[in-house]
Structures are given as structure tokens and as C-alpha cells.
């Protein structure tokens, strides 16, 4: 294969405007992934405490890990910066979700 063709689709070869849009997309994807992940963690914890539906509880737990790990692995192929931006979105989603859960518990 031609090495020049392989690198033309990399993150570093994007124009500055496209790079900003790509990073914004990774950030939003991280926010959404984080909200899905922590919402399913909350649901999983409630199922675990109830002691019912053990298969559903284990399946949800495994699905959560596979989804998070798989998407972060896919993004890591684009480079460190998109991975870090997506991880930042996940961390911010965690803060937002925990704040909402804390307010609901009061």
C-alpha cells in the first residue's frame, strides 16, 4: 500500500476548522456515552440491591463495560487528542449525572 494514502485520512491531516468540529463531535459523543454509562450504572446498582433479575444485572454490567471500552478503543485509533476529549466528555457527564442523583436523593 502507498504510505501517503494511509496517512491522508488521519486526524492530523485535517484542516484546523475540521479538526475543531471533529473534536467537538468527540466531546459530545463522550457526554452522551457518559450519560448512558452512568445511567445504566445507576439502574444496575438498583437491580443489584433488589436482588432480582441476576442475569439482567450481569448482562447490563458486561454491556456497559463492552460499550465504554469498545468506543474508547475505536477513538484511540484516531490519536491521543480525540481520546482525551472524549474522556473529558465522559468525566463531565459523570459530574452532571452525580449532581442530578444527589439532588434527587434530598
Amino acid at each position: 500500500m502507498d504510505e501517503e494514502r494511509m496517512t491522508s485520512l488521519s486526524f492530523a491531516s485535517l484542516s484546523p476548522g475540521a479538526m475543531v468540529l471533529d473534536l467537538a463531535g468527540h466531546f459530545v459523543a463522550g457526554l452522551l456515552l457518559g450519560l448512558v454509562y452512568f445511567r445504566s450504572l445507576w439502574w444496575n446498582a438498583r437491580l443489584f440491591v433488589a436482588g432480582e433479575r441476576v442475569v439482567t444485572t450481569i448482562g447490563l454490567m458486561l454491556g456497559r463495560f463492552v460499550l465504554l471500552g469498545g468506543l474508547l478503543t475505536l477513538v484511540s485509533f484516531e490519536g491521543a487528542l480525540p481520546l482525551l476529549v472524549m474522556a473529558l466528555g465522559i468525566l463531565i457527564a459523570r459530574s452532571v449525572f452525580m449532581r442530578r442523583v444527589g439532588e434527587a436523593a434530598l
Side-chain angles (χ1 to χ4, degrees), residues 22-44:
D22 189 52
L23 289 176
H26 282 93
F27 181 72
V28 169
L31 283 174
L32 294 175
L33 177 62
L35 288 175
V36 167
Y37 181 84
F38 291 108
R39 175 66 179 135
S40 65
L41 177 63
W42 177 251
W43 185 39
N44 197 230

Side-chain angles (χ1 to χ4, degrees), residues 45-68:
R46 292 176 57 203
L47 288 173
F48 184 71
V49 168
E52 300 173 3
R53 301 186 229 170
V54 175
V55 174
T56 303
T57 304
I58 292 172
L60 182 62
M61 182 175 50
L62 291 174
R64 218 179 46 241
F65 291 141
V66 168
L67 180 68
L68 182 68

Side-chain angles (χ1 to χ4, degrees), residues 65-103:
F65 291 141
V66 168
L67 180 68
L68 182 68
L71 289 177
L72 287 175
T73 300
L74 286 175
V75 171
S76 73
F77 294 137
E78 294 183 37
L81 190 57
L83 178 63
L84 289 172
V85 169
M86 188 173 216
L88 178 65
I90 292 169
L91 289 175
I92 290 173
R94 178 189 176 272
S95 297
V96 169
F97 186 78
M98 293 305 292
R99 189 172 300 127
R100 283 183 44 211
V101 169
E103 289 173 0

